[in-house]
Amino acid sequence: SLALSPRNALTLLFSSYRNLLARKQSARLDKHSDLGWKLFGKAPLRENAQKDSKRIQKEYEDKAGRPSKPPSPKQNVRKNLDFEPLSTTALILEDRPANLPAKPAEEAQKHRQQYEEMVVQAKKRELKEAQRRKKQLEERCRVEESIGNAVLTWNNEILPNWETMWCSRKVRDLWWQGIPPSVRGKVWSLAIGNELNITHELFDICLARAKERWRSLSTGGSEVENEDAGFSAADREASLELIKLDISRTFPNLCIFQQGGPYHDMLHSILGAYTCYRPDVGYVQGMSFIAAVLILNLDTADAFIAFSNLLNKPCQMAFFRVDHGLMLTYFAAFEVFFEENLPKLFAHFKKNNLTPDIYLIDWIFTLYSKSLPLDLACRIWDVFCRDGEEFLFRTALGILKLFEDILTKMDFIHMAQFLTRLPEDLPAEELFASIATIQMQSRNKKWAQVLTALQKDSREMEKGSPSLRH
């Protein structure tokens, strides 16, 4: 016999083990005989199985009306599919490995039947999803066609004849349906008007003055301009800081008004110019949302003109100048129509001591632009520009009516939280349907008549009570 050194014996043993391991691995890759299940195909699929999965995918695409496409390299990841993951392609009926016992014929038939049932269910899901997508597409096309027709009507018929047509029944109906975004800014400007006779030149003057004030404050200057003689440097600096803070919180999800955003400077310019144009009002929290909505629909100078005239309306001026007496009168008028339209909810609010100021102030200050989705808020603005301040309070009643069933089951805390943070997915059509049911008439008196009567009563009370005058 040949004697082997320990080193040679170890080498021979390692080589034999490596050859044996290679043969076993080759046998596992080459042999797949019996039926079995393989999840997501972690091992290479048989050619027939690949062809079957392609055939099944083509059947689904033909059923859903989609053209057949070559399989993507990332198909197994299944992230970019238009439909739900399908068990027909995610779970493939595979041969059982050779090292496992063969399945009984009865069990194999049962598994194949289960597999075919999954295929049928997957086809049903696909067909249902395709029908849903088709319905969505048809609705989108209908809406786009409606908007296109409305744009033609506004541009060709209404805007050229604004003075004679704006109050017609046809135009009022179109207004209620929502003004097309492409003409919204022009319609808002015409509806708001320019009673203050502000020009682009005046805006440039106010903006230049604001920039000079910013430079003065940044360098520590304390010069007091003649126009601001009644306002301290501390007041002006506080107003400037509040503008900076509020801009950062204006539509934060859009990321267009914050520092570095495309509309940051425009918003800063309008708010700064307004504090110079109306130093008696200055900047009040909430103004940034109103200015931002106008910027999205108008050029900077036109947005400033609309902004200044809008804030000069009686209701906005009462709130932004924090005229407590007049604000209470507006709340009282609102409650008259609240009780008239929603007596059950009104009694529930009274029982829980939930007063209108808790939820109305934020809605009125920002004209719903902070409380509602932006596209819905713009539709509220559309009709507000048509009907005036009355529609702001009618909208509030519409919101309360829409959620009446929910609110009547809540206590004070939950009602206040709900109304100050309305659902983000509030459907526009449902809200406008709710608003349409609100009647702004109480005992044969309309909003303006009720408000005027309450203002008169308030003045008489002030005259009769020395304590109220002070």
Side-chain angles (χ1 to χ4, degrees):
S1 63
L2 264 180
L4 294 175
S5 67
R7 182 176 180 180
N8 290 338
L10 185 60
T11 301
L12 181 61
L13 179 63
F14 178 75
S15 177
S16 300
Y17 176 75
R18 185 171 56 185
N19 292 337
L20 178 62
L21 187 63
R23 285 197 299 273
K24 285 186 177 181
Q25 185 175 7
S26 177
R28 282 200 302 271
L29 291 176
D30 292 341
K31 294 182 180 180
H32 293 283
S33 56
D34 297 330
L35 293 175
W37 295 100
K38 186 176 297 180
L39 186 60
F40 296 109
K42 291 189 176 180
L45 298 176
R46 293 180 298 113
E47 182 179 356
N48 289 340
Q50 291 176 343
K51 289 181 179 178
D52 288 344
S53 65
K54 292 178 185 178
R55 176 179 57 78
I56 293 169
Q57 181 182 356
K58 188 176 187 305
E59 287 180 4
Y60 296 153
E61 289 171 343
D62 293 341
K63 189 73 173 177
R66 293 194 303 270
S68 179
K69 296 180 181 179
S72 166
K74 297 183 179 180
Q75 189 172 356
N76 289 334
V77 180
R78 317 199 67 75
K79 289 182 179 178
N80 299 321
L81 293 178
D82 295 335
F83 44 84
E84 297 178 7
L86 302 179
S87 53
T88 52
T89 52
L91 193 62
I92 304 299
L93 191 63
E94 288 291 337
D95 295 339
R96 176 174 284 185
N99 60 335
L100 294 178
K103 277 185 185 177
E106 183 180 350
E107 184 180 357
Q109 178 61 28
K110 179 183 176 183
H111 286 174
R112 181 167 292 280
Q113 184 179 355
Q114 290 174 344
Y115 176 80
E116 290 172 353
E117 287 175 359
M118 285 191 291
V119 170
V120 171
Q121 293 300 322
K123 286 183 178 181
K124 288 181 179 179
R125 286 198 302 270
E126 270 298 281
L127 182 59
K128 187 175 180 179
E129 178 66 15
Q131 290 172 343
R132 186 187 67 82
R133 286 198 300 268
K134 182 181 178 182
K135 187 176 180 180
Q136 282 184 337
L137 181 60
E138 289 174 349
E139 177 63 17
R140 186 160 62 245
C141 291
R142 186 192 65 78
V143 170
E144 289 175 357
E145 184 180 1
S146 175
I147 292 174
N149 293 335
V151 169
L152 292 175
T153 303
W154 280 99
N155 281 328
N156 298 336
E157 299 178 29
I158 301 172
L159 292 177
N161 306 290
W162 176 259
E163 293 298 330
T164 57
M165 287 197 67
W166 76 270
C167 57
S168 68
R169 182 71 182 180
K170 176 183 177 181
V171 175
R172 290 181 65 84
D173 289 343
L174 281 174
W175 225 318
W176 181 268
Q177 295 168 17
I179 301 172
S182 60
V183 297
R184 179 169 271 151
K186 180 65 175 175
V187 175
W188 284 2
S189 291
L190 290 170
I192 294 170
N194 188 12
E195 293 181 355
L196 299 174
N197 294 319
I198 300 174
T199 62
H200 287 203
E201 290 74 22
L202 179 59
F203 166 67
D204 292 336
I205 292 171
C206 292
L207 179 57
R209 190 176 298 158
K211 289 180 177 179
E212 181 60 34
R213 178 185 296 175
W214 295 333
R215 282 193 293 269
S216 176
L217 289 173
S218 64
T219 57
S222 59
E223 303 86 14
V224 179
E225 300 176 12
N226 294 332
E227 298 90 337
D228 298 344
F231 305 92
S232 67
D235 290 337
R236 298 197 304 275
E237 187 169 0
S239 184
L240 179 62
E241 289 302 317
L242 186 55
I243 289 176
K244 289 180 179 178
L245 178 62
D246 246 18
I247 287 178
S248 68
R249 299 183 296 200
T250 303
F251 297 119
N253 293 336
L254 297 182
C255 301
I256 57 177
F257 295 106
Q258 287 65 39
Q259 185 74 40
Y263 292 106
H264 173 271
D265 292 343
M266 292 172 63
L267 182 56
H268 201 262
S269 296
I270 288 177
L271 298 176
Y274 184 77
T275 60
C276 290
Y277 175 68
R278 290 298 301 264
D280 58 320
V281 179
Y283 179 77
V284 181
Q285 193 171 0
M287 287 183 177
S288 63
F289 280 89
I290 297 178
V293 173
L294 291 169
I295 286 172
L296 292 174
N297 292 278
L298 291 162
D299 294 334
T300 308
D302 292 328
F304 174 78
I305 294 172
F307 179 76
S308 301
N309 279 276
L310 189 58
L311 266 55
N312 198 53
K313 305 290 183 184
C315 180
Q316 277 62 52
M317 190 54 67
F319 277 77
F320 281 111
R321 296 192 73 170
V322 197
D323 184 334
H324 291 289
L326 194 49
M327 288 172 68
L328 290 174
T329 303
Y330 274 103
F331 294 148
F334 169 76
E335 287 196 303
V336 169
F337 294 94
F338 187 180
E339 185 176 17
E340 189 80 25
N341 285 274
L342 305 166
K344 182 181 177 182
L345 186 61
F346 177 78
H348 183 67
F349 275 32
K350 283 292 185 182
K351 180 181 177 181
N352 287 274
N353 295 317
L354 186 69
T355 53
D357 57 291
I358 293 175
Y359 51 93
L360 274 185
I361 284 181
D362 198 41
W363 294 354
I364 302 300
F365 263 111
T366 62
L367 302 180
Y368 295 96
S369 56
K370 181 181 177 184
S371 308
L372 298 177
L374 183 56
D375 56 341
L376 177 53
C378 286
R379 281 197 62 183
I380 299 295
W381 279 49
D382 290 343
V383 188
F384 163 61
C385 289
R386 185 193 77 175
D387 294 351
E389 64 186 36
E390 173 185 322
F391 188 71
L392 297 178
F393 296 93
R394 190 181 178 192
T395 298
L397 292 174
I399 293 173
L400 295 179
K401 181 176 177 62
L402 185 62
F403 297 109
E404 181 177 14
D405 292 341
I406 298 174
L407 292 168
T408 50
K409 299 174 184 176
M410 293 181 176
D411 57 15
F412 174 87
I413 295 295
H414 290 93
M415 284 191 295
Q417 290 177 339
F418 182 87
L419 293 174
T420 53
R421 198 176 187 86
L422 294 171
E424 295 180 359
D425 58 347
L426 205 159
E429 296 307 323
E430 288 186 22
L431 176 57
F432 270 80
S434 179
I435 295 172
T437 64
I438 301 298
Q439 300 297 318
M440 297 302 283
Q441 188 166 329
S442 176
R443 298 176 185 176
N444 295 324
K445 289 184 178 180
K446 296 183 178 181
W447 168 265
Q449 294 171 312
V450 171
L451 183 65
T452 301
L454 288 171
Q455 286 176 322
K456 184 179 178 181
D457 293 344
S458 178
R459 285 193 294 267
E460 289 176 356
M461 288 179 63
E462 288 181 3
K463 289 179 182 178
S465 176
S467 61
L468 288 175
R469 291 199 299 269
H470 302 287

